Amino acid sequence: MTNVFVATCDLAAQTRGRAVPASREGAVLRGGTGWVPADLGLTAFGTIAGNPFGSTGDLKLMPDPITRVDVPADGGMPGTRIYLADQTLPDGSPWECCPRAFLAGAVEELRALGVTPVATFEHEFTLAGLPATGPFSFDRYRAAEPFGSDLVDLLESNGFEPETWLPEYGADQHEITLAPSGAMTAADRAVLLRELVRDLARRRGLKASFAPLPHPDGSGNGVHIHLSFEGGALYDPARPGGLSELGAAFSAGILRHAAALTAVTAASPVSFLRLTPHRWSAGGVFLAERNREAMLRICPGGPATHNLEYRAADATANPWLALGVLLRAGLEGVRRGYPAPRVWPETVTEDELAGVPPLPKSQAEALDALAADDVVRGMFAPDLLTTYLSVKRAELAALDGLDDVQSCRRIADVH
């Protein structure tokens, strides 16, 4: 191992940080390494959007030892150890704009109600540089070797608990799923998994992209976020969809604030080209059993496996923020006693769903919904919200004048 990379995931879903020599690992674990508040304003394209911090202020990246990941030396590249970090003030106290702290706060609020959230992220991505193969085929599975086996080994060696590695439907598309875990662990793994996949692909002469839509006419790459609670608290077989009273109120919170939430969970200008009916992404704001057009799908099972699948997300979202807003929205549903939403059955027809609310048609519409939703806006520290809106609107402006094909290509270049 040559270096230690101390990292955060920013509002543009980019993993950024600082490397220190391996000999300094102990010191950086004790005292962190320097960071700058204005870094929060970095866009996916590397520019700094308007932000409240300017050139002033100092922060520290304080690594969390439990996030350690080791990437072995391979293909001429040195071994590297990665830690994810909290962004703190220089004295080590919390910084209210830290995305990881945002999720930690949501988890603690739920625990105060006696509920411990469990989650996992399903990631789809495309691998360029392989021969053309059929969807879901053994041919595609084998064509990705040795990348696929190396990826599973890398994830297992770092305790990520991979469950499935599979060839997917879209051209060159694959999917990796991990076992459910505590909410913070799930989001940390989501941040790291993207980097591990891209890094391994480079070392195998391939290019991995998590872009939500590589081409407007093609299949997109989603991130399905699965949510449940420890102890089977989401499950009640006597109620509609098998959702407990708690689970129904939690679902109602997500559905009521759906438009604002998508500004965080589907966080790029091309994300909303994917979130349309008949793409098996999210065709409307509704809760359903075993229906992959639903924004919120009930995945059936017993007390230990019954869960909610949020389908309006992709890898342009910061995992800490995406999971954090979902948990906080669900919590609002519980606290405010939102009425249980209708659970549409598996047999529901398209005509019957004609009246369900649509998702935002564009990122601009979603950002406006976020700015207008007092509940979701109130989840964020003011400077964090201001910077987030600024970053996302700057990314939107960067694509002015480009058609959908060009926009998809530009986003794919950075994700």
Side-chain angles (χ1 to χ4, degrees):
M1 183 180 67
T2 303
N3 291 317
V4 172
F5 193 79
V6 181
T8 185
C9 184
D10 68 10
L11 305 185
Q14 301 294 303
T15 302
R16 307 187 199 269
R18 291 189 174 184
V20 300
S23 61
R24 295 279 301 161
E25 181 178 5
V28 82
L29 285 172
R30 291 188 297 272
T33 187
W35 201 240
V36 178
D39 287 343
L40 195 71
L42 282 163
T43 72
F45 308 118
T47 58
I48 296 182
N51 62 83
F53 315 112
S55 60
T56 63
D58 286 286
L59 298 171
K60 287 200 297 188
L61 292 178
M62 283 297 301
D64 185 339
I66 68 170
T67 66
R68 189 184 84 183
V69 163
D70 287 324
V71 181
D74 174 54
M77 295 288 287
T80 300
R81 178 164 290 169
I82 306 171
Y83 290 100
L84 294 179
D86 293 300
Q87 298 181 49
T88 73
L89 298 175
D91 64 1
S93 59
W95 185 44
E96 65 178 2
C97 295
C98 172
R100 193 167 187 261
F102 180 86
L103 174 57
V107 171
E108 287 307 310
E109 288 184 52
L110 278 163
R111 284 179 175 161
L113 294 182
V115 178
T116 300
V118 174
T120 190
F121 291 65
E122 291 181 8
H123 280 88
E124 296 170 336
F125 60 93
T126 55
L127 271 179
L130 296 174
T133 49
F136 305 115
S137 66
F138 183 69
D139 192 19
R140 178 174 298 176
Y141 165 74
R142 293 291 284 176
E145 294 289 20
F147 172 87
S149 294
D150 290 347
L151 175 61
V152 171
D153 289 346
L154 178 61
L155 296 175
E156 286 191 322
S157 69
N158 283 291
F160 276 42
E161 301 178 277
E163 286 194 328
T164 60
W165 156 247
L166 63 143
E168 253 286 356
Y169 173 72
D172 302 322
Q173 189 178 52
H174 297 77
E175 181 179 286
I176 188 79
T177 67
L178 306 178
S181 60
M184 183 61 75
T185 297
D188 287 345
R189 287 175 176 175
V191 172
L192 291 163
L193 177 123
R194 299 172 191 180
E195 298 309 317
L196 294 178
V197 168
R198 283 187 281 246
D199 182 68
L200 179 62
R202 281 191 296 269
R203 289 185 275 124
R204 296 294 175 268
L206 305 170
K207 182 176 181 180
S209 175
F210 290 84
L213 203 59
H215 189 281
D217 296 331
S219 297
N221 294 313
V223 174
H224 302 153
I225 304 175
H226 291 259
L227 298 162
S228 61
F229 305 122
E230 282 187 2
L234 189 78
Y235 182 64
D236 184 343
R239 292 177 52 85
L243 286 180
S244 65
E245 184 176 349
L246 170 71
F250 187 88
S251 301
I254 292 174
L255 294 172
R256 180 172 296 197
H257 300 287
L261 297 179
T262 59
V264 179
T265 64
S268 81
V270 304
S271 294
F272 293 86
L273 299 176
R274 190 182 74 89
L275 296 178
T276 57
H278 311 301
R279 281 188 177 272
W280 286 30
S281 54
V285 180
F286 64 99
L287 173 69
E289 296 182 277
R290 297 179 294 276
N291 186 326
R292 288 170 177 80
E293 289 285 305
M295 188 192 79
L296 202 58
R297 183 174 80 98
I298 300 170
C299 300
T305 57
H306 209 69
N307 67 88
L308 294 168
E309 179 187 48
Y310 178 83
R311 297 179 59 81
D314 61 53
T316 63
N318 176 303
W320 297 319
L321 293 183
L323 185 53
V325 293
L326 294 178
L327 294 180
R328 289 176 187 270
L331 182 59
E332 287 296 319
V334 174
R335 283 175 171 166
R336 297 174 184 240
Y338 289 171
R342 179 173 183 176
V343 178
W344 292 91
E346 185 178 6
T347 55
V348 66
T349 67
E350 193 169 313
D351 287 343
E352 290 174 305
L353 290 172
V356 303
L359 276 78
K361 293 180 174 60
S362 67
Q363 186 186 33
E365 186 179 325
L367 292 171
D368 288 345
L370 172 57
D373 189 319
D374 290 342
V375 170
V376 181
R377 192 174 66 240
M379 299 174 185
F380 294 84
D383 285 349
L384 176 57
L385 180 64
T386 296
T387 307
Y388 185 82
L389 291 171
S390 179
V391 166
K392 294 301 157 185
R393 286 174 173 150
E395 291 175 353
L396 193 58
L399 302 188
D400 279 351
L402 302 184
D403 61 25
D404 288 346
V405 173
Q406 293 168 324
S407 294
C408 286
R409 186 179 302 123
R410 187 85 194 276
I411 295 297
D413 285 343
V414 293
H415 290 283

